[in-house]
Amino acid sequence: MSTLRALARARALATGRAEPVATVRHLHLTPRPLVLVPLALAGEANAPLAALVGTAPDDARLLVVPQPRNRDQRFAFATELAAIVLPWIDGHRGGTEDVPVDRGRDVRRRYVDAPQLVVPNPAGVTFLRLFGRATRFRRADGEYPVHPSVPLLGRWLTFFADRAEHPGSSALLALTEALTLHYATGQSVLEDLHLPALLGWIDPPPGLTGAQAAARAEDPSRCPPAGPATDPDFDNGRLYPAIEAYAAAGDDPDARRTAYADLAELLRGQLAPTWDLMWRGLALLYALPPGARVAGRWDGDRDAFTAFAEHVDAGGAPQPRRDGAVTAAQKLHRLERALTAYAVQRAYDDPLVMAEHRLTGEAFVGDVTLADPTRIDDTGKRPVLRPRIQVVTDEPVPMPVGATLWSPTRPAQKAKVVFVNRVGESKTEVVLELSGGMGRGRTAPPGTVPEVGERLCYTTLSDAFLPAGVFPTVEETPWTHGGPPPAAADPDSVDPDPVNRHSVDPADDAVATEEWD
C-alpha cells in the first residue's frame, strides 16, 4: 500500500466517507456491459446454484439449478447461460476496421467493439474460470454428451478469465476491484471485497456515515453476500429445505412446479440486492471521465477479442489445461510488460497517481523559469536542435546528471538532466536538454518546447514502447521443460509436448467429468 493510499484510508476513517484516489476513470466501460451475479452451492466444487444475468437494470434473467448436485441440471444451466452469453458476444462482431501494421505497409482487421463482462468481486472471476474449465472440454457426442453450445461457452468464459489477469484489461471486471482502484475506504482490504460494505463507504445513504452504512451492509438479512458464496444461516434455514422440497416433489408436475417457483423466488431475493448494487456501482464509475490512455488499452482488448473469435471460427482447439514451459514464460513476460505499461499510463493520466511517484522520488513538479528554444548542439557530426529549459521546484530531485526524464504533457520528448543546483533551503534548479517531439528541422514548432511560466511534471517513468523478449521454441528447450526427448529415447513413444496439449483427448474429458460427477 502506498503512502498516499494509506493516508486516504486514514482520512476516510476520520471523515466517515471514502476518499477518491483518482481523478479519472482508469478502465473502459461499454454502454451495455453484461452483468453476471453468480451463486454457488456451499460444500461443492464450483457447483452453480443460480445467476442473474442481463445488460440493463430492468433486464435481469434468473437462472436456477434446483438440484446443484445433479450433473444433468448443471449442464442444463450451462446451456441456458450459453443461450444468453453467446448471442451477446456475437452481437459485438458486426463491424470491423482496418488497423495499420508494419509501419503502415499492411493492414489487419479488428472488430470496432468488444464484449465486456462484469461480476461483483474476484471470487466471481474465479467462478467463471472454473466453470469454463469444467465445460470447455465437454463433447456434444459420445458418453455424457452436452449441448453443442456448452463447450463453446466454456472457451469464451476461459477467454474472459484470462483477460482478467491482464493488467489494464477491461474485458472482465470485478466491480469491487474497479471501485477500490478509484476510492479508498476506512476499512481493511479484505473488507473491501464485500460489495455492499464497499458501496456503503463510497455512497452511504443519507444520514449515515460510511462506517455505519458498512456495518448495516454486513448484516446478511439486510444485504445478502454478493456471491458466489452464500450465507451459512441462509443455507441451513431456507435454502436446503427448499431444495429438499423440490426433490420430494418427485414426478408430480404440479408439486415440482410449485417447489421450483418457491426456490426461484428465494434465490431471486438473495441475488436482487446485489444486482441493484452492481448498477449503482457502475453508475459511480460512469460518472468519472475516462483517462486519456484508457482507449488505447481497450484497443488491446478488441485485438484479443478479434484474435480469439477468428481462432474459434477457424476450428481451433480449446485452451489447454496447463501451459508448456515456453508458453508460460511468454505469457508471464507479456503480463510483466503490461503491468509496467499500465502503471506508467495511470500515472501519466492522473495527477493523484503521479503524486505517489513524486513521494518516492521518481517525479517532481516545477515551473519553467528559463527557456532557450533555438539552441543548436554542434558538438556531433552535424548540428542538431537541442533546446534547454530551467525548471525550479520545491520538491526533492534525486535524479543524477545525465538521467533521462519524460513529461506526461509531451510523452514523445526526452529531457536529459544537465545539472541540478540547490538554491536556499527549499528550491532546486534543474536544467534539462530536450530532444525528440520537435520535428526534424532546426526550428522547433510552436508548443513543442515548454515556455517560461509553464508548470510541468518530469519523471523517470517512460511511456515508450517496451520491446518483447526473445524466447526459444519448444524444440530448442530441454526435454525436462517440454522440449524434444533425449536422443536415446524412442521418439515414437514420447509425447513431444506432454504439458501443452491442445487436443481434447479422453484424459481431458475424464478430468472435466470428474470435476462435476
Side-chain angles (χ1 to χ4, degrees), residues 363-375:
F364 66 88
V365 172
D367 299 308
V368 179
T369 57
L370 295 173
D372 184 2
T374 61
R375 177 181 174 275

Side-chain angles (χ1 to χ4, degrees), residues 131-182:
F131 195 74
R133 176 184 174 182
T135 54
R136 71 176 185 265
F137 294 123
R138 304 306 308 183
R139 297 177 183 272
D141 54 7
E143 191 178 10
Y144 304 117
V146 298
H147 191 274
S149 63
V150 171
L152 182 58
L153 171 69
R155 297 173 67 177
W156 276 110
L157 293 182
T158 302
F159 164 78
F160 282 110
D162 288 344
R163 289 303 297 174
E165 292 183 348
H166 196 279
S169 171
S170 298
L172 174 57
L173 297 178
L175 187 57
T176 53
E177 290 185 339
L179 290 171
T180 53
L181 184 66
H182 302 85

Side-chain angles (χ1 to χ4, degrees), residues 82-153:
I84 299 173
V85 174
L86 297 182
W88 167 74
I89 291 175
D90 289 339
H92 295 80
R93 302 178 62 179
T96 59
E97 62 183 5
D98 292 333
V99 180
V101 295
D102 197 15
R103 297 186 178 181
R105 289 189 287 267
D106 197 1
V107 296
R108 59 179 173 83
R109 305 292 290 175
R110 179 175 66 194
Y111 289 118
V112 297
D113 198 8
Q116 183 178 58
L117 192 58
V118 185
V119 294
N121 45 42
V125 176
T126 302
F127 176 89
L128 294 185
R129 180 184 301 281
L130 296 177
F131 195 74
R133 176 184 174 182
T135 54
R136 71 176 185 265
F137 294 123
R138 304 306 308 183
R139 297 177 183 272
D141 54 7
E143 191 178 10
Y144 304 117
V146 298
H147 191 274
S149 63
V150 171
L152 182 58
L153 171 69

